[in-house]
Amino acid sequence: MEAKIAYFSAEFGIDSALPIYSGGLGVLAGDHVKAANDLGVPLVAVGILYRRGYFQQEVDAWGNQKALYPQICPEDLPVQPVLDHRGHPQTITVPLEGRLVHLKIWKAEVGTVPIYLMDAHHDQNTEADRCLTDHLYGGNTDTRLAQEMILGIGGVRVLRAVREEPDVWHMNEGHSAFMALERIREYSAQGFSFETALEAVKASTVFTTHTPVPAGHDQFSFEQMDRYLGDYYWQLGTTRENILELGKNEGLFNMTRLAVSTASKVNGVSKLHAQVTKELFHRWTPEIPKEHIQVESITNGIHTQTWLSPSMEQVYDRYLEPQWKDRIAERKVWEKVKVIPNEEIWSAHQQAKREMVQKLGLPDLTNVLTIGFARRFATYKRALLLFHDVERLERILNQVDRPVAILFAGKAHPADGPGQQLIRQIWELSQQERFKNRIILLENYDMDKAKQLVSGVDVWLNTPMKPMEASGTSGQKAAVNGVINCSILDGWWAEGYNGYNGWAIDGGTGGTWQEQDRLDAQALYQLLEEEIVPLYYQSNTSWVEKMKESIESLTPVFSTSCMVAEYWGKLYIPTAIRGRRFIENGLEVAERVAQYKSFIRNHWPYVGVEDMEFLSAFPDVATIQCKVRLGEIWHKDVKVEVVRGNGEQGLYRKELQWVKELDCGLYLYAGTFPGSIEDWQGSGANIRVVPISEDFSHDLEMELVKWK
Ligand SMILES: *Cc1c(COP(=O)(O)O)cnc(C)c1O
């Protein structure tokens, strides 16, 4: 089936030469686009061309991060201006704070996949407005709101201007969720009601959430919303209140809430993260057990070829099947890693290390066990965990004949004081005589430096506070290069670690944050002292075997070819089919669903469960029976289920059958289940009623339940 996907993201990490990314989120978006191109997925991407990028980092003599913002000329970037049919630069406008902001459109191409990038440096804008798109994640919350309106609303207008007709609209993180409002506005302008438009939009939208960290979920005050969108609300064919309701979270307008309200499929970026996300979303639907909240999981991957060092690639070329590059997701391809002679793997790795040393201007590390820790300096990533006991670390790094060096790199957001403090502390330690050439802080981490580090070090370290690392991808980049992971069992590593392919830092569970840090630090020191350092220096054979195990077990699984195929199968195709069905014949299905929902919502207050009874005819089966009052609602429009806790397995849930109408609007339901009646009576079982429809994406689509 053909289906066009529109992929919206605030950042894209395609290449260092296009500095419109800050970290993992952007790099993931870039790798998603690259894999879409490889797999022939018809995708069109939308983002912003930040004239000053994120920032360039320098660290001064006191360890202070300096953020530099060199002006970037689009003429120097791998982008082309988009022209209209008369050959003039194509422009779109976005209404902001009661005025129109004009945006130029640039196009970057990743093979056959276009990325359209908006840029506010337009003659018709005021000086101030021209700077709106200068900085990625810069300015205050007004700037952020303006940028998100540009991304979401402007992004839809860009696609219309270049005549794209996507079937599926993918919000990569909540930043782009205003796209839903703009699409509602379009339908509204064609004469459809807000409710019908919302259903049509929802059926064709998917949302990927990327972090449980609160700073990753933007919120705006209603006052700000009114100021920026005041003259836009009415174009959506409904009231201000109905629009604010879509994003309402504790008196603020929350972009994640907006995304969830306007998408029919939501996913987290690892199995663990999907669970954590359900807990996070639970506050919006407290009536629904968190286990039943619909969040899929699609674990992040990397674009293998982007992150593979040339020396390791040559080895793979020699020993793997000729077409291995087109078959990265096949485990069979990687089983051949076993037959690669150890010396070849080792020499390719040493070659990558030499290249890193040379390119990054490092001291000679040829015979030094080298550990890499590089990523954004966000506090939950705990860059200082390694320094919990500085004396113990010193002993580990400075053993005679067994030296260990640690390379750090990363930027802290310019408004993140604690993040910058981490840089200062690492810098200070790196300046101490005892840590000379043992602790090294590199400036200005970017994709180029990442490529050097993830292939040139021996061990890749990650120490997030579980479960805050939604996925993490840098360890996956390390794995394909034979660099061995040592990480907390969080995000992707909780799925990737198999006991042999690296090390898991597992200090157990501490009560407080401080206690957790202490336990995890101790587990890490112990790993270094007892396993990692001895293995590296005692047995090159065992070390290389571990490298091979890591390459073989992780490379085929954590690649974007796998990941995008999963997006295609789990999200894109079902959404394309359903989305199309909703808009056929003048939005016929969308309108029917809107009317049905409105009817159910009006009558739901009268729905209730009365008299739950347990009956038994046999020793080990129980019949559960209850009366359900549905009033005006038809019995075929609800599902009645028994729900009980089931220990480790989560929730047990089975449907009761409709038996008969007892009275006007009052129905008898019953079901027979394994288990003695005493068992059932003491089990805390409940009856749950939900409205259903074949047109819904799932049973809890309306977020309505009645319990007994
Ligand atoms: C891959 C990558 C990241 C993500 O690193 P994590 O450890 O997964 O957070 C951040 N920045 C750059 C430049 C990257 O290439």
Side-chain angles (χ1 to χ4, degrees):
M1 168 181 177
E2 273 299 300
K4 187 78 173 216
I5 319 301
Y7 183 86
F8 283 50
S9 183
E11 38 174 321
F12 285 94
I14 305 290
D15 191 281
S16 298
L18 192 56
I20 55 170
Y21 63 92
S22 81
L25 176 68
V27 172
L28 176 88
D31 282 6
H32 191 114
V33 167
K34 289 175 188 173
N37 175 57
D38 295 347
L39 297 173
V41 168
L43 186 137
V44 47
V46 179
I48 293 177
L49 187 76
Y50 305 96
R51 290 264 178 140
R52 290 172 188 271
Y54 186 46
F55 66 92
Q56 302 264 334
Q57 180 199 52
E58 280 179 12
V59 177
D60 74 10
W62 294 273
N64 298 311
Q65 168 176 287
K66 293 270 170 284
L68 308 178
Y69 296 98
Q71 174 85 252
I72 299 155
C73 258
E75 287 71 27
D76 302 334
L77 298 177
V79 297
Q80 309 282 322
V82 173
L83 306 177
D84 64 17
H85 62 278
R86 284 169 311 174
H88 299 312
Q90 181 77 256
T91 300
I92 55 130
T93 58
V94 170
L96 268 187
E97 243 185 332
R99 62 186 189 279
L100 283 181
V101 171
H102 298 256
L103 297 152
K104 290 185 197 164
I105 312 170
W106 302 90
K107 182 179 178 183
E109 279 168 316
V110 176
T112 58
V113 176
I115 306 180
Y116 293 103
L117 299 167
M118 289 166 278
D119 166 18
H121 280 253
H122 192 287
D123 296 343
Q124 277 167 273
N125 289 337
T126 63
E127 280 293 328
D129 281 351
R130 281 179 215 173
C131 301
L132 277 175
T133 53
D134 274 5
H135 301 110
L136 170 58
Y137 306 140
N140 55 20
T141 62
D142 275 358
T143 323
R144 185 67 72 89
L145 177 52
Q147 284 190 352
E148 294 188 0
M149 289 175 68
I150 288 170
L151 178 61
I153 298 170
V156 176
R157 295 182 180 189
V158 165
L159 292 183
R160 300 311 179 201
V162 299
R163 304 193 188 291
E164 292 283 3
E165 292 285 339
D167 300 289
V168 177
W169 300 72
H170 188 165
M171 302 166 169
N172 188 47
E173 196 49 296
H175 307 124
S176 59
F178 285 131
M179 69 151 84
L181 300 189
E182 174 63 7
R183 294 185 56 222
I184 292 173
R185 189 200 62 76
E186 290 181 334
Y187 284 125
S188 178
Q190 293 167 30
F192 296 103
S193 74
F194 169 76
E195 289 75 16
T196 299
L198 175 60
E199 294 307 326
V201 167
K202 204 171 152 77
S204 50
T205 302
V206 301
F207 167 47
T208 304
T209 177
H210 283 270
T211 180
V213 178
H217 302 261
D218 288 318
Q219 306 203 91
F220 304 108
S221 72
F222 293 155
E223 175 277 321
Q224 256 180 318
M225 288 291 291
D226 290 348
R227 194 150 40 83
Y228 274 83
L229 290 110
D231 66 343
Y232 182 74
Y233 292 149
W234 66 266
Q235 298 182 50
L236 276 70
T238 188
T239 60
R240 162 187 181 269
E241 284 64 35
N242 281 343
I243 294 164
L244 293 180
E245 193 62 38
L246 293 172
K248 200 174 251 173
N249 178 51
E250 293 169 352
L252 294 171
F253 190 87
N254 180 295
M255 294 301 284
T256 305
R257 179 68 174 137
L258 173 64
V260 172
S261 306
T262 54
S264 56
K265 286 196 181 286
V266 178
N267 77 291
V269 291
S270 70
K271 294 197 171 82
L272 193 60
H273 176 236
Q275 297 311 316
V276 174
T277 300
K278 291 178 186 189
E279 277 165 42
L280 217 64
F281 291 178
H282 184 52
R283 63 188 156 149
W284 293 323
T285 51
E287 288 277 284
I288 298 173
K290 56 182 186 299
E291 292 86 345
H292 293 169
I293 294 174
Q294 295 290 314
V295 179
E296 313 243 6
S297 91
I298 299 179
T299 305
N300 282 346
I302 53 152
H303 187 252
T304 312
Q305 296 224 66
T306 297
W307 299 102
L308 190 58
S309 72
S311 55
M312 203 54 89
E313 182 174 349
Q314 277 168 20
V315 175
Y316 295 161
D317 278 342
R318 220 168 308 137
Y319 289 94
L320 305 186
E321 319 239 330
Q323 306 297 303
W324 68 271
K325 284 175 186 154
D326 302 324
R327 300 168 52 192
I328 283 169
E330 287 178 38
R331 280 175 188 271
K332 226 174 68 220
V333 167
W334 297 93
E335 282 168 10
K336 286 271 176 64
V337 168
K338 281 198 192 74
V339 306
I340 305 176
N342 282 2
E343 314 80 68
E344 296 226 18
I345 295 251
W346 185 248
S347 93
H349 173 64
Q350 290 295 82
Q351 171 66 29
K353 193 184 226 183
R354 275 194 299 279
E355 197 180 307
M356 168 187 79
V357 163
Q358 192 221 333
K359 285 235 169 95
L360 304 182
L362 298 169
D364 182 15
L365 296 169
T366 317
N367 297 311
V368 178
L369 168 57
T370 306
I371 299 173
F373 183 106
R375 50 184 57 83
R376 290 179 304 113
F377 277 110
T379 42
Y380 76 89
K381 291 179 181 268
R382 297 194 299 186
L384 288 184
L385 194 78
L386 202 52
F387 300 102
H388 197 84
D389 180 343
V390 177
E391 275 65 45
R392 190 164 170 188
L393 179 67
E394 187 188 350
R395 286 195 297 277
I396 294 170
L397 302 191
N398 284 326
Q399 278 187 85
V400 187
D401 297 337
R402 289 181 170 191
V404 180
I406 308 175
L407 308 181
F408 282 95
K411 296 174 179 176
H413 188 280
D416 179 6
Q420 289 172 59
Q421 181 61 18
L422 297 176
I423 296 177
R424 218 170 282 124
Q425 282 169 276
I426 293 170
W427 189 86
E428 279 166 11
L429 286 156
S430 74
Q431 297 304 298
Q432 295 178 7
E433 193 51 37
R434 57 180 170 165
F435 290 129
K436 189 167 189 298
N437 288 350
R438 292 288 167 268
I439 296 173
I440 298 169
L441 177 66
L442 300 161
E443 287 174 321
N444 204 34
Y445 189 49
D446 65 3
M447 287 179 71
D448 270 346
K449 292 217 166 75
K451 277 184 205 178
Q452 298 302 326
L453 289 169
V454 298
S455 59
V457 301
D458 301 297
V459 173
W460 194 254
L461 178 69
N462 196 10
T463 54
M465 175 59 96
K466 191 171 176 173
M468 305 301 262
E469 182 84 307
S471 169
T473 52
S474 63
Q476 302 169 352
K477 302 169 193 165
V480 304
N481 286 296
V483 171
I484 308 176
N485 277 273
C486 173
S487 171
I488 299 280
L489 283 172
D490 195 9
W492 80 281
W493 190 231
E495 291 161 47
Y497 177 64
N498 68 5
Y500 308 99
N501 57 3
W503 293 278
I505 308 166
D506 187 359
T509 331
T512 60
W513 288 67
Q514 293 90 331
E515 179 65 5
Q516 190 66 56
D517 283 359
R518 194 180 65 79
L519 292 174
D520 289 342
Q522 262 162 17
L524 172 56
Y525 291 137
Q526 206 171 342
L527 277 177
L528 287 168
E529 290 161 349
E530 294 173 12
E531 297 191 36
I532 300 174
V533 179
L535 189 73
Y536 187 83
Y537 285 107
Q538 272 163 21
S539 167
N540 185 259
T541 308
S542 309
W543 186 272
V544 176
E545 291 299 331
K546 218 176 189 53
M547 290 170 70
K548 286 179 167 180
E549 174 67 34
S550 165
I551 297 167
E552 183 184 335
S553 63
L554 301 171
T555 308
V557 184
F558 300 99
S559 76
T560 38
S561 13
C562 252
M563 182 190 86
V564 171
E566 218 177 330
Y567 274 97
W568 182 253
K570 271 191 183 167
L571 302 194
Y572 293 161
I573 285 300
T575 305
I577 293 171
R578 196 160 161 269
R580 274 190 205 156
R581 201 163 63 80
F582 269 54
I583 58 171
E584 272 164 13
N585 302 325
L587 277 62
E588 189 183 325
V589 176
E591 184 167 357
R592 184 171 78 218
V593 170
Q595 285 172 356
Y596 175 74
K597 282 187 177 177
S598 155
F599 172 81
I600 296 279
R601 208 168 275 123
N602 289 337
H603 291 277
W604 197 250
Y606 309 108
V607 171
V609 185
E610 302 168 7
D611 304 331
M612 172 159 73
E613 278 185 286
F614 299 96
L615 312 169
S616 174
F618 302 98
D620 49 5
V621 283
T623 296
I624 298 175
Q625 164 173 307
C626 65
K627 292 176 192 163
V628 181
R629 186 167 295 285
L630 294 176
E632 297 287 301
I633 294 174
W634 194 30
H635 67 85
K636 293 210 170 157
D637 289 338
V638 300
K639 188 187 264 184
V640 178
E641 291 163 303
V642 60
V643 181
R644 69 185 259 197
N646 205 14
E648 290 285 287
Q649 278 141 35
L651 288 181
Y652 174 92
R653 183 157 62 98
K654 279 279 183 302
E655 196 172 345
L656 300 189
Q657 299 307 312
W658 180 81
V659 182
K660 61 179 175 186
E661 184 165 20
L662 295 169
D663 193 1
C664 190
L666 183 69
Y667 301 88
L668 185 68
Y669 279 81
T672 298
F673 307 99
S676 72
I677 182 162
E678 292 76 22
D679 228 30
W680 273 99
Q681 276 166 336
S683 71
N686 291 296
I687 301 292
R688 168 179 110 164
V689 186
V690 294
I692 55 167
S693 160
E694 284 189 353
D695 294 323
F696 287 178
S697 62
H698 55 83
D699 287 353
L700 292 166
E701 163 148 350
M702 287 195 71
E703 302 180 348
L704 291 176
V705 280
K706 279 286 161 80
W707 286 97
K708 168 92 179 174

